[in-house]
Amino acid sequence: MNLILFGPPGAGKGTQAEFIVDRYKVVQLSTGDMLRAAVAAGTELGKMAKAVMDRGDLVDDQIIIGIIGDRIDEPDCKGGFILDGFPRTLGQAEGLDRMLDEKGLTLDAVVNISVPDEELFKRIEKRAAETGGSRADDNAETLKNRLKVYHDQTAPVLAYYEKKNMVDTVDGLQAIDQVTANIVTILDGKR
Ligand code: ADP
């Protein structure tokens, strides 16, 4: 099963992805994690991405599409994958479609975790306090920009998949295990 886990920053995609990985034996492909690993390793990509990420802006589409394309070719993705944090722009969504076509792969589901902005602010503030600011982009100022970027550039991606009738939305204000239960119902229905 190949799926997209979609939602604003702080929606709980990472938490839910862990459950999905366990239950459906797929791998999680988080572009945020990949970029943070590149920053930590001090690669050329990491150097380039760091400032962009710290501002809460988006890394260039072609670079991200290239990273994901290479990752999907690895053998562990044969059993299926969750895209977490990608696609984040219409350009990335179109690039993904082309890429999957070329590779002879299909998308089985787009799960949208819906959470209003006020709640996202609360969550990120809490996460920033808990992690002692270990993520440079977990602060109110950057979050404000990340939410703006989400509404301006990422929300249209949802409309793109809605047009294809591929989206199932889950209420992300529910308890974590309730969100999980909803996702399981959706994904079991696609198997
Ligand atoms: P979130 O907490 O919003 O889920 P991520 O960990 O997915 O954040 O991403 C952190 C940052 O990494 C983003 O703000 C952005 O700068 C960069 N990034 C991650 N995924 C992408 C992408 N698909 N396209 C462009 N930039 C990305």
Side-chain angles (χ1 to χ4, degrees), residues 31-54 59 63-64 67:
T31 44
D33 286 350
M34 292 176 197
L35 291 170
R36 277 186 290 277
V39 171
T43 62
E44 280 311 307
L45 166 69
K47 282 180 205 155
M48 189 274 312
K50 184 172 188 325
V52 177
M53 292 170 73
D54 287 353
V59 174
I63 290 174
I64 296 285
I67 294 173

Side-chain angles (χ1 to χ4, degrees), residues 57-77:
D57 288 333
L58 296 181
V59 174
D60 177 78
D61 280 355
Q62 291 317 313
I63 290 174
I64 296 285
I65 292 167
I67 294 173
I68 284 284
D70 290 346
R71 184 64 187 86
I72 286 178
D73 288 338
E74 308 245 336
D76 63 338
C77 290

Side-chain angles (χ1 to χ4, degrees), residues 125-156:
E125 272 167 10
K126 190 157 162 264
R127 183 159 89 185
E130 281 168 2
T131 59
S134 65
R135 263 185 67 170
D137 59 353
D138 269 353
N139 60 70
E141 203 42 50
T142 303
L143 177 64
K144 229 194 250 168
N145 189 44
R146 278 157 74 198
L147 285 180
K148 183 181 182 317
V149 168
Y150 175 79
H151 289 297
D152 292 352
Q153 300 189 54
T154 306

Side-chain angles (χ1 to χ4, degrees), residues 13-162:
K13 296 192 292 289
T15 308
Q16 297 302 331
E18 272 181 43
F19 286 103
I20 300 172
V21 163
D22 254 23
R23 184 177 170 107
Y24 298 93
K25 306 299 170 215
V26 293
V27 292
Q28 177 192 8
L29 308 184
S30 158
T31 44
D33 286 350
M34 292 176 197
L35 291 170
R36 277 186 290 277
V39 171
T43 62
E44 280 311 307
L45 166 69
K47 282 180 205 155
M48 189 274 312
K50 184 172 188 325
V52 177
M53 292 170 73
D54 287 353
R55 285 198 305 271
D57 288 333
L58 296 181
V59 174
D60 177 78
D61 280 355
Q62 291 317 313
I63 290 174
I64 296 285
I65 292 167
I67 294 173
I68 284 284
D70 290 346
R71 184 64 187 86
I72 286 178
D73 288 338
E74 308 245 336
D76 63 338
C77 290
K78 291 281 176 285
F81 51 80
I82 308 174
L83 298 172
D84 164 10
F86 173 89
R88 240 176 168 94
T89 65
L90 273 183
Q92 291 180 15
E94 288 161 2
L96 175 64
D97 270 353
R98 274 195 300 275
M99 178 199 303
L100 293 176
D101 247 14
E102 282 165 21
K103 297 183 194 296
L105 297 170
T106 49
L107 266 184
D108 302 297
V110 179
V111 176
N112 171 40
I113 305 179
S114 164
V115 180
D117 283 4
E118 310 84 73
E119 172 69 13
L120 298 172
F121 270 105
K122 280 190 226 153
R123 290 184 185 182
I124 297 278
E125 272 167 10
K126 190 157 162 264
R127 183 159 89 185
E130 281 168 2
T131 59
S134 65
R135 263 185 67 170
D137 59 353
D138 269 353
N139 60 70
E141 203 42 50
T142 303
L143 177 64
K144 229 194 250 168
N145 189 44
R146 278 157 74 198
L147 285 180
K148 183 181 182 317
V149 168
Y150 175 79
H151 289 297
D152 292 352
Q153 300 189 54
T154 306
V157 172
L158 195 60
Y160 178 85
Y161 289 111
E162 265 161 357

